[in-house]
Amino acid sequence: MMNILLTDKCSNTCPYCFAKQKLEEDSKLNQMPLENYKKVLDFLRISKSRLVKLLGGEPMLHSQIAEFINIVSGDDDFDAIVVFSGGIFDRSLAYLLANEKINVVLNTNHPSDYKDGKWDIFIKNLDYMISLGVDITLGYNVYKTDFEYEFILDLLDYYKIKNLRWTIAVPMHSYQNLHVPFEDYQKMGNRLTEFLLRFADMGVQSRLDCFVPLCTFRDSDYGKLIKTFPHMAKGGLCNPAIDVGPDLTVWRCFAISSYGNVKLEDFPNLRELTNFFKSSFDHYKWHIWPEKCEKCKYRLSRICQSSCLSFKVREIKNFLEDEKRANSILEKARELADDIPSALLKYKEALLIAPHSLTIKAESALFYIKTGDFITAEKLLLEIEQEYPDYPALYVYRGLICEKKKNYKGAIRNYRRALRLYPKDEELKERIKRNRSLDILTMGVI
Ligand code: SF4
Ligand code: SF4
């Protein structure tokens, strides 16, 4: 899944806005050019992703929105389009959304959060979209513990809307947005339970974006919620959302959008892009936790990541700086290729500086494999596997170890596993072939 940010223009002033920081940082291009949009669609096609998700700012403010929507709606490679809108846009564009492929997630705030008569515009646009038969899901962001929700019930009931997406607003770092502090999540557990079960009673399907820490709810309430909303059984974990901006910069999600940005063109498909974020960021979920989570069984068994990464940004920044320092030490180690004892000291130093970095561990594992210290290499690979079992190099390096030990069957098994993750990797195919031949030769000798 990937969100396409069409424009940084917005007609709303949501008090919890999580996009403003990123949109302001990247204001070189304030709307996505058609050429870039087509590149994103090609990327989705190659990735066999049949869903297109359009975001902003307010995507309906993009000057070519009609063309953008028509391109996707007329393309058989795509089955569905989700437009995330705040509902404040020129009403004459609403007809674009009346299309069987399109679902509009209409971000809805309490009437008191709208300024300058915008609540009236919102309601008039909603009325009009409903009259056109637009398929609407209401979106709702909880940003305070005593959040109001009766107005959402009224809207769902009045317009007979059957879907709700909700999430909890999280902090941004270069400006202040309203959000629920991590320590206060439990204070709203009862209210959230009541809110969700009331929607369920109305026959409304609700979907949680991101995640909620497990201890937000009492155990008995959580059981009820899982029975009603089975998707909540996935636990307190989130996955990369993947957002692509107007200039094709990509980031994991808004919570940590200042870090680890990459370019769409540098990745062959969505799977590899997702793997990049998983291997470079997701393990931080488990290395940083607030004091109250220290001994929690859900954290220890990796069912709850304790909080959104946005609450861990400062620590992540430190980890990334450590990783950078460790990388520069590895650069020196590479120059010492012929002096193994000195290189070894550098690898040890890098591992001490960035003990949680998967890339440093992986590169060190390769060094140990080359020097024949398979025990240390396997230990590092095991640590990587515990963090991220799909880490790109994991099975390749295990294959190398097997190969060096003349365990050709083991090498083939590991390379095949790697090939399942990277089916187009020609080098892996070659390695499998080579090990098959070596295995047959060995059998001949026996
Ligand atoms: S890990 Fe922390 S946030 Fe998650 S359930 Fe345990 S105490 Fe709560
Ligand atoms: S870190 Fe996870 S929970 Fe936080 S915004 Fe990103 S995807 Fe959502």
Side-chain angles (χ1 to χ4, degrees):
M1 303 273 195
M2 183 161 75
N3 301 310
I4 311 172
L5 272 88
L6 293 187
T7 175
D8 65 0
K9 283 187 220 147
C10 190
S11 40
N12 252 321
T13 45
C14 305
Y16 50 81
C17 179
F18 47 83
K20 198 168 145 214
Q21 171 183 358
K22 185 67 184 163
L23 295 174
E24 282 173 1
E25 266 173 24
D26 290 2
S27 57
K28 286 154 266 156
L29 266 187
N30 35 36
Q31 68 167 17
M32 183 174 277
L34 180 61
E35 187 196 347
N36 285 0
Y37 184 62
K38 287 183 176 167
K39 283 185 188 163
V40 179
L41 296 182
D42 285 343
F43 185 82
L44 290 174
R45 247 183 235 110
I46 288 170
S47 309
K48 301 205 175 352
S49 172
R50 302 182 67 83
L51 170 66
V52 175
K53 299 202 285 178
L54 306 179
L55 262 80
E58 170 55 64
M60 298 301 286
L61 295 185
H62 191 291
S63 62
Q64 290 166 288
I65 189 65
E67 190 174 356
F68 278 30
I69 288 181
N70 289 336
I71 289 174
V72 189
S73 56
D75 188 329
D76 290 342
D77 285 336
F78 301 108
D79 295 335
I81 309 166
V82 180
V83 179
F84 292 85
S85 169
I88 314 287
F89 56 83
D90 178 352
R91 200 163 312 145
S92 68
L93 294 172
Y95 77 95
L96 290 168
L97 303 170
N99 180 307
E100 57 181 18
K101 275 191 182 178
I102 298 180
N103 174 247
V104 176
V105 177
L106 197 63
N107 191 34
T108 311
N109 296 321
H110 188 267
S112 63
D113 286 328
Y114 292 88
K115 309 277 174 264
D116 309 324
K118 286 190 176 163
W119 172 250
D120 288 343
I121 301 175
F122 175 86
I123 289 295
K124 280 184 185 144
N125 280 357
L126 174 57
D127 253 343
Y128 188 53
M129 284 190 277
I130 294 283
S131 74
L132 293 175
V134 176
D135 178 24
I136 288 182
T137 294
L138 287 193
Y140 183 55
N141 286 274
V142 173
Y143 67 87
K144 51 187 179 183
T145 51
D146 58 346
F147 59 96
E148 300 91 351
Y149 64 84
E150 291 294 333
F151 74 103
I152 297 270
L153 289 175
D154 293 344
L155 289 175
L156 290 166
D157 186 39
Y158 183 79
Y159 290 107
K160 306 284 172 259
I161 295 172
K162 290 289 173 210
N163 292 295
L164 173 82
R165 278 176 78 134
W166 67 283
T167 195
I168 300 177
V170 293
M172 291 295 116
H173 293 274
S174 61
Y175 68 98
Q176 295 222 317
N177 66 332
L178 293 184
H179 64 275
V180 181
F182 177 67
E183 320 70 79
D184 287 354
Y185 273 54
Q186 279 175 326
K187 287 188 197 156
M188 64 181 173
N190 288 346
R191 197 164 179 78
L192 276 177
T193 308
E194 188 187 284
F195 154 78
L196 292 170
L197 294 178
R198 282 190 66 186
F199 290 124
D201 286 345
M202 291 169 67
V204 171
Q205 298 287 326
S206 78
R207 210 193 121 184
L208 166 65
D209 278 344
C210 299
F211 85 105
V212 182
L214 292 192
C215 61
T216 305
F217 304 105
R218 287 193 305 245
D219 284 355
S220 54
D221 287 344
Y222 194 54
K224 269 189 238 164
L225 289 169
I226 290 178
K227 269 195 192 160
T228 318
F229 309 106
H231 72 275
M232 288 184 79
K234 74 171 182 170
L237 303 168
C238 72
N239 280 309
I242 314 273
D243 298 318
V244 55
D247 65 351
L248 302 184
T249 300
V250 185
W251 55 94
R252 182 193 182 277
C253 63
F254 276 113
I256 48 166
S257 57
S258 303
Y259 303 101
N261 287 201
V262 288
K263 281 289 180 191
L264 189 77
E265 293 103 319
D266 294 339
F267 291 82
N269 55 44
L270 193 50
R271 181 181 162 136
E272 295 213 7
L273 189 53
T274 309
N275 281 343
F276 165 79
F277 287 113
K278 282 192 173 175
S279 59
S280 47
F281 282 106
D282 280 42
H283 57 101
Y284 291 122
K285 290 173 193 167
W286 309 114
H287 301 314
I288 307 158
W289 58 85
E291 207 183 326
K292 82 161 194 168
C293 306
E294 170 84 21
K295 295 197 174 127
C296 173
K297 62 181 176 191
Y298 298 121
R299 183 184 73 77
L300 294 170
S301 54
R302 301 205 165 187
I303 296 172
C304 181
Q305 69 184 55
S306 73
S307 70
C308 164
L309 293 175
S310 65
F311 289 100
K312 306 179 179 184
V313 161
R314 220 159 288 126
E315 292 88 343
I316 290 177
K317 187 169 168 252
N318 293 339
F319 275 130
L320 292 174
E321 276 163 12
D322 291 345
E323 188 176 74
K324 208 166 151 196
R325 274 198 301 137
N327 262 321
S328 61
I329 289 169
L330 290 195
E331 258 170 46
K332 288 184 197 136
R334 276 176 230 126
E335 288 161 15
L336 294 167
D338 298 331
D339 179 0
I340 291 181
S342 306
L344 179 63
L345 288 178
K346 296 277 175 214
Y347 277 96
K348 284 187 174 166
E349 191 186 343
L351 282 167
L352 271 179
I353 290 173
H356 299 304
S357 162
L358 300 193
T359 50
I360 299 295
K361 278 184 193 175
E363 186 164 344
S364 304
L366 186 60
F367 170 78
Y368 284 110
I369 294 169
K370 285 181 182 160
T371 57
D373 181 353
F374 302 139
I375 294 178
T376 309
E378 273 165 351
K379 183 178 156 283
L380 288 168
L381 294 176
L382 186 66
E383 285 174 22
I384 294 174
E385 185 177 28
Q386 282 161 354
E387 301 292 348
Y388 179 33
D390 285 349
Y391 190 83
L394 188 59
Y395 299 104
V396 180
Y397 290 178
R398 284 191 170 147
L400 280 177
I401 295 176
C402 290
E403 214 176 324
K404 290 215 171 210
K405 289 181 173 173
K406 300 198 186 331
N407 170 6
Y408 302 119
K409 284 193 173 58
I412 295 169
R413 205 172 42 246
N414 277 294
Y415 291 146
R416 277 200 184 132
R417 255 189 110 165
L419 197 62
R420 276 207 290 276
L421 294 171
Y422 301 96
K424 292 200 177 134
D425 192 320
E426 293 303 321
E427 199 189 322
L428 279 172
K429 290 179 192 165
E430 278 308 309
R431 282 174 192 267
I432 292 171
K433 248 194 242 164
R434 189 176 67 227
N435 277 275
R436 260 201 217 118
S437 311
L438 288 167
D439 192 37
I440 291 167
L441 276 178
T442 320
M443 284 194 290
V445 168
I446 290 164

